[in-house]
């Protein structure tokens, strides 16, 4: 559903992402992790068609992002960690606008259930500028999910959510994957990645340092056998001497 080959992004003298290749099948949740500045957001923004890669091929739901950007983008939803909303549209107006933007008027019927799933029903008539940070996050996710994307990309989706919101968001992400959506989840919250993701892609200084299930990654390194993702991550990113909390 997502196929990435040799993705490279150069900013001036800095290579932010270098020769990254991976794929995500329908129903799979790939955890994208890496230290600050590793190139995660650059990767997600390239996959979403927001920035143009310097090199490489990206296919979203079998559509080449460079050759057929409208179809590729129509099949995906990207929810950044700082969602951009329209301050003078209400919650309901955001969703109805999204349905029109993606030319899926029939999804308007799904709006009440979507608002209920994300606990926004009583905010349907509130302006985006009147929402709390967590509610803004939920609205961005509702807009992303409404058009039933084949590919869902989330950057730190739990930021600002309360404990019940976190539980529900985890269920929402898992349910979408179970229904066949290919998901990329980027987060520094390694327990979340371990809980939800079927495979993990660890990047460091723009390059892939590990890719697979935690068991597969540890199998290549006998010293990491039986270790959790946090220890694998710290070791593979050269931060292995960091003291445990
Ligand atoms: P974090 O965990 O801190 O969010 P990240 O893994 O998402 O980090 P990126 O935002 O992709 O990292 O940044 C990767 C590198 O590219 C960094 O060195 C960053 O300074 C650089 N970079 C990102 N965007 C630009 C830009 N528009 N112009 C120049 N350099 C950039």
């Amino acid at each position: 559903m997502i196929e990435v080959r040799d993705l490279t992004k150069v900013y001036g003298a800095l290579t932010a992402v270098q020769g990254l290749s991976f794929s995500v099948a329908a129903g799979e949740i790939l955890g994208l992790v890496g230290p600050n500045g590793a190139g995660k957001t650059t990767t997600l923004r390239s996959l979403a068609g927001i920035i143009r890669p310097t090199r490489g091929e990206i296919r979203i739901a079998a559509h080449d992002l460079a050759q057929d950007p409208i179809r590729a983008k129509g099949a995906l939803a990207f929810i950044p960690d700082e969602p951009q909303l329209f301050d003078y549209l209400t919650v309901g107006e955001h969703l109805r606008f999204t349905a029109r933007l993606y030319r899926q008027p029939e999804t308007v019927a799904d709006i009440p259930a979507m608002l209920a799933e994300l606990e926004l029903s009583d905010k349907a008539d509130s302006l985006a500028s009147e929402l709390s940070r967590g509610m803004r996050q939920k609205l961005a996710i509702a807009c992303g999910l409404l058009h039933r994307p084949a590919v869902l990309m989330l950057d730190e989706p739990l930021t600002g959510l309360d404990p019940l919101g976190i539980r529900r968001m985890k269920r929402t992400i898992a349910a979408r994957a179970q229904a066949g959506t290919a998901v990329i989840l980027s987060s520094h919250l390694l327990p979340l990645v371990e809980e939800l993701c079927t495979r993990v892609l660890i990047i460091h200084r723009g390059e892939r340092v590990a890719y697979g299930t935690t068991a597969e990654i540890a199998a290549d390194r006998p010293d990491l056998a039986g270790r959790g993702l946090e220890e694998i991550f710290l070791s593979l990113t050269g931060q292995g001497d960091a003291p445990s909390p």
Side-chain angles (χ1 to χ4, degrees), residues 2-11 16-18 20 22 32 39-60 63-66 69 72-73 76 78 151 153 155 184 203:
I2 306 172
E3 289 158 67
V4 179
R5 204 155 60 84
D6 195 26
L7 177 66
T8 299
K9 178 67 186 177
V10 178
Y11 293 113
V17 175
Q18 168 96 52
L20 209 55
F22 61 93
L32 176 62
K40 302 177 297 294
T41 304
T42 303
T43 300
L44 291 180
R45 288 169 67 86
S46 301
L47 265 60
I50 297 169
I51 56 174
R52 194 184 289 268
T54 308
R55 199 174 66 233
E57 283 169 33
I58 298 167
R59 294 179 78 79
I60 304 286
H63 305 296
D64 186 296
L65 185 62
K73 289 183 193 179
L76 68 82
F78 171 46
V151 165
M153 299 189 283
D155 197 357
I184 299 182
I203 60 174

Side-chain angles (χ1 to χ4, degrees), residues 129-208:
S129 56
E130 296 167 343
L131 300 178
S132 73
R133 183 189 165 94
M135 290 169 188
R136 290 173 67 85
Q137 183 74 6
K138 288 180 186 176
L139 174 55
I141 288 174
C143 289
L145 295 179
L146 186 69
H147 64 95
R148 301 168 188 160
V151 165
L152 176 62
M153 299 189 283
L154 303 146
D155 197 357
E156 292 293 1
L158 303 188
T159 306
L161 298 188
D162 62 18
L164 179 60
I166 289 174
R167 178 185 282 186
R168 290 196 169 202
M169 190 58 66
K170 289 197 284 196
R171 282 191 192 149
T172 296
I173 296 168
R176 292 289 158 161
Q178 256 169 16
T181 306
V183 182
I184 299 182
L185 167 64
S186 180
S187 179
H188 292 299
L189 302 175
L190 299 182
L192 168 75
V193 171
E194 235 169 353
E195 182 183 338
L196 282 185
C197 297
T198 43
R199 282 194 294 167
V200 182
L201 172 61
I202 303 178
I203 60 174
H204 184 37
R205 297 192 181 121
E207 292 189 63
R208 174 172 127 177

Side-chain angles (χ1 to χ4, degrees), residues 208-231:
R208 174 172 127 177
V209 293
Y211 178 46
T213 64
T214 12
E216 284 165 356
I217 294 169
D220 286 343
R221 286 273 305 259
D223 56 315
L224 296 176
R227 302 298 172 96
L229 181 58
E230 183 179 292
E231 284 189 67

